Amino acid sequence: MTFEKFSSEIKTLEKFFPIYCNDKHTGQFSKHYKIFYQENEINFDISLCKECHNLLHYAITRLQECPNDPKPRCRKCPNSCYDKDKYKQMAKMMRYSGMKLGVTKAAQRLKKIFKKN
Ligand SMILES: [Zn+2]
């Protein structure tokens, strides 16, 4: 996968993880991530609980080692590289945060509409 694709996948994780973790878990702490991909470097800080840091770290490693080009959605991958348990955790997290983000976006749209009138 291209670096652009890789970095947008990372951005999605960076956005989705805290939403889920802040709602469901306690004991968050900030950690710095330095990720290398195709001679590029991505840096970010993120505050999560220990369990989510582990899962995020795992997800990043899987992503770095993804042999598919172009990368399909993990859900549609014919030979998913995830552990069953980790996959379930990821799916739950993505579903929850995706829905919440969707709801927030819809609410923002509604607000705009109502402001006009
Ligand atoms: Zn968490």
Side-chain angles (χ1 to χ4, degrees):
M1 102 187 82
T2 61
F3 177 71
E4 281 70 31
K5 174 74 179 155
F6 180 81
S7 117
S8 93
E9 294 277 337
I10 296 289
K11 283 223 173 68
T12 305
L13 294 174
E14 204 184 326
K15 194 157 81 185
F16 276 47
F17 260 98
I19 295 173
Y20 179 74
C21 188
N22 287 333
D23 277 10
K24 301 278 183 188
H25 307 142
T26 53
Q28 282 84 1
F29 59 97
S30 181
K31 209 165 145 179
H32 185 74
Y33 283 78
K34 196 191 206 55
I35 307 159
F36 293 97
Y37 194 73
Q38 293 171 353
E39 294 169 23
N40 294 291
E41 194 184 311
I42 300 175
N43 283 279
F44 64 92
D45 289 290
I46 191 164
S47 184
L48 299 170
C49 73
K50 191 162 178 271
E51 198 189 323
C52 288
H53 272 306
N54 285 342
L55 188 59
L56 174 60
H57 187 262
Y58 180 81
I60 291 170
T61 315
R62 305 285 15 121
L63 205 55
Q64 277 172 315
E65 284 168 15
C66 179
N68 301 302
D69 196 10
K71 176 186 164 305
R73 288 196 166 267
C74 289
R75 201 186 311 165
K76 289 189 179 144
C77 187
N79 38 10
S80 175
C81 60
Y82 270 75
D83 280 356
K84 263 222 168 78
D85 274 3
K86 293 267 200 307
Y87 184 83
K88 267 191 203 152
Q89 275 177 277
M90 278 299 280
K92 208 162 115 189
M93 185 281 288
M94 295 298 278
R95 213 169 27 234
Y96 180 88
S97 301
M99 215 158 66
K100 219 173 156 183
L101 275 173
V103 170
T104 318
K105 263 187 207 151
Q108 278 166 354
R109 262 201 305 274
L110 274 178
K111 237 188 230 164
K112 264 186 211 156
I113 293 168
F114 283 115
K115 251 187 195 160
K116 272 183 201 160
N117 300 319

